[in-house]
Amino acid sequence: MTDTNFTPRVFSGIKPSGGLQLGNYLGAIKRFVGMQGQMETVYCVVDMHAITVWQDPAELANATREVAAGYLAAGLDPSKSILFNQSQVAAHAELGWIFNCVARVGWMNRMTQFKDKAGSNVEKQSLGLYAYPALMAADILLYHATHVPVGEDQKQHVELTRDIAKKFNHDYKVDFFPKTTPVIDGPATRVMNLRDGTKKMSKSGESDMERINMTDDADKIAKKFKKAKTDPEPLPETVDGLADRPEARNLVEIYASLNDATPADVINEYAGAQWGRFKPALADLAVAKLAPISTEMARYMDDPAEIDRILGDGAGRARAIAEPILRKTYDIVGMLRS
Ligand code: TYM
């Protein structure tokens, strides 16, 4: 599936809207850090995507730094990866426009995330929210990225990116943009809400008890796991026994991911265990793994100038890759520059 005509390069991004939650960490950041050193890695704080829904300006700037702090605290090394915020590299918006002209309205109408977010209120949404996946395709293809690690909820957008690349290459008779592979692996690509195992954990749930925020302290983390919804049965004897038990499966998958193990490993250890045994063990593990990250995030947030310096340096390195690709795109499309 990987496009071998292009040098392997990873790109991924996180929106600075609200704070980071455990799903962002396990489904994205932890895996991004794991890909460092394997191939070139480019990671972004996608502030232009964030404003598809109105953001308070001061909060947006703060959330942008907080996502950057989350990446850094979780082990992203700016000497190994490029880390920057999207709006500092104008080429994203420029290629985004070209892709608005490649993508079809029918494709956008099939995007489940837009439908979920817009609900019955489509007419009141920003045009940006509708065009969002075309900007995401620009983020990825501006770097000729071959691999995009994401959680399951972003799979459809990465598939759309492939469709946009294919149509561009076909319409202009070139082989210029690669076929991007979505990388969706490991036990926690869809971390669920702690109060309802059929809903995804997200930054914007009704109750704070639904999610673990990356800024939660040890007491809060422990309390949220202990109060997490479960069913009355003990843990099953095999992983197959988790099939129709969304809450149980979610907690086992979270444990597995935090411990760099598989759900089968966790079930081997806790087969038949009651929740009174498993939940405190999960809470202890989560505190042991997450508390050092939240402490480190707070340390970065005390030094915003250092975060800004890292993002600025990353933006310069990102531009060095992106601008030649944008120029070549303009040439292909026939944009005159004099
Ligand atoms: P965003 O900001 O909603 O989420 C960032 C990343 O976290 C993953 N994620 C989850 N993974 C597992 N379980 C969950 N509950 C969970 N919640 C979030 C997401 O799948 C994502 O990988 N459109 C993207 C941002 C984006 C992007 C890009 C990503 C913009 N341009 C280019 C990749 C490449 C988004 O809104 O992610």
Side-chain angles (χ1 to χ4, degrees):
M1 209 180 169
T2 303
D3 196 332
T4 48
N5 294 330
F6 290 81
T7 313
R9 185 180 283 144
V10 174
F11 182 95
S12 202
I14 298 181
K15 254 189 337 265
S17 51
L20 289 172
Q21 41 82 16
L22 185 65
N24 297 130
Y25 174 61
L26 297 178
I29 300 181
K30 185 170 188 279
R31 298 170 50 231
F32 298 175
V33 170
M35 292 176 99
Q36 255 180 176
Q38 291 177 20
M39 51 184 117
E40 195 179 356
T41 41
V42 184
Y43 296 127
C44 191
V45 186
V46 290
D47 47 5
M48 288 163 55
H49 278 100
I51 62 162
T52 53
V53 173
W54 192 83
Q55 304 290 327
D56 175 84
E59 276 171 27
L60 177 63
N62 187 61
T64 301
R65 291 196 182 105
E66 199 173 280
V67 172
Y71 275 118
L72 294 163
L76 185 142
D77 176 348
S79 71
K80 292 192 186 144
S81 293
I82 294 177
L83 176 64
F84 69 106
N85 58 310
Q86 190 183 24
S87 61
Q88 294 209 64
V89 180
H92 287 250
E94 294 182 63
L95 187 61
W97 177 255
I98 292 183
F99 287 169
N100 281 347
C101 303
V102 173
R104 304 289 94 181
V105 168
W107 300 358
M108 295 306 185
N109 286 342
R110 285 195 284 278
M111 294 294 113
T112 55
Q113 191 154 319
F114 178 76
K115 287 189 222 170
D116 290 348
K117 286 202 172 165
S120 55
N121 227 352
V122 174
E123 305 250 320
K124 295 265 163 61
Q125 304 306 319
S126 73
L127 189 52
L129 189 69
Y130 189 60
Y132 178 118
L135 179 61
M136 181 160 159
D139 299 339
I140 295 167
L141 295 173
L142 194 50
Y143 299 88
H144 277 183
T146 51
H147 295 75
V148 178
V150 282
E152 243 171 63
D153 61 331
Q154 295 300 317
K155 185 170 183 224
Q156 194 185 32
H157 290 161
V158 184
E159 286 167 355
L160 181 91
T161 300
R162 289 169 71 94
D163 291 340
I164 289 178
K166 191 171 160 203
K167 182 161 167 57
F168 181 97
N169 288 346
H170 175 268
D171 288 356
Y172 292 102
K173 300 182 179 50
V174 289
D175 186 15
F176 185 59
F177 287 117
K179 284 186 209 71
T180 301
T181 306
V183 183
I184 303 175
D185 56 11
T189 53
R190 191 168 176 80
V191 176
M192 307 308 276
N193 180 318
L194 298 180
R195 309 297 286 178
D196 177 352
T198 64
K199 285 194 198 146
K200 192 183 70 169
M201 185 181 288
S202 76
K203 303 164 202 197
S204 56
E206 284 152 33
S207 150
D208 197 53
M209 293 300 285
E210 292 173 2
R211 63 183 164 268
I212 305 286
N213 304 301
M214 291 308 286
T215 48
D216 284 347
D217 61 22
D219 286 348
K220 255 202 181 148
I221 295 174
K223 186 170 156 213
K224 288 179 178 177
F225 276 122
K226 284 179 189 153
K227 297 221 159 178
K229 184 179 168 204
T230 47
D231 54 38
E233 303 297 317
L235 283 169
E237 300 290 329
T238 65
V239 221
D240 293 345
L242 292 169
D244 296 318
R245 300 177 60 187
E247 283 86 12
R249 191 177 70 207
N250 188 39
L251 296 184
V252 167
E253 287 179 349
I254 292 174
Y255 190 107
S257 178
L258 286 168
N259 216 22
D260 296 314
T262 63
D265 296 331
V266 180
I267 292 298
N268 278 344
E269 194 179 341
Y270 289 98
Q274 299 292 338
W275 293 110
R277 182 173 152 229
F278 184 73
K279 280 184 167 182
L282 173 59
D284 287 349
L285 174 67
V287 168
K289 299 283 181 174
L290 302 178
I293 300 175
S294 75
T295 307
E296 190 63 5
M297 264 177 87
R299 202 181 62 76
Y300 274 106
M301 289 303 279
D302 278 343
D303 191 357
E306 174 62 3
I307 297 180
D308 295 2
R309 188 195 63 74
I310 292 170
L311 292 174
D313 175 70
R317 287 152 63 207
R319 265 183 238 118
I321 303 173
E323 284 174 358
I325 292 179
L326 179 69
R327 277 199 296 275
K328 182 78 184 133
T329 310
Y330 279 161
D331 288 343
I332 292 170
V333 172
M335 299 289 193
L336 188 68
R337 277 165 297 120
S338 46

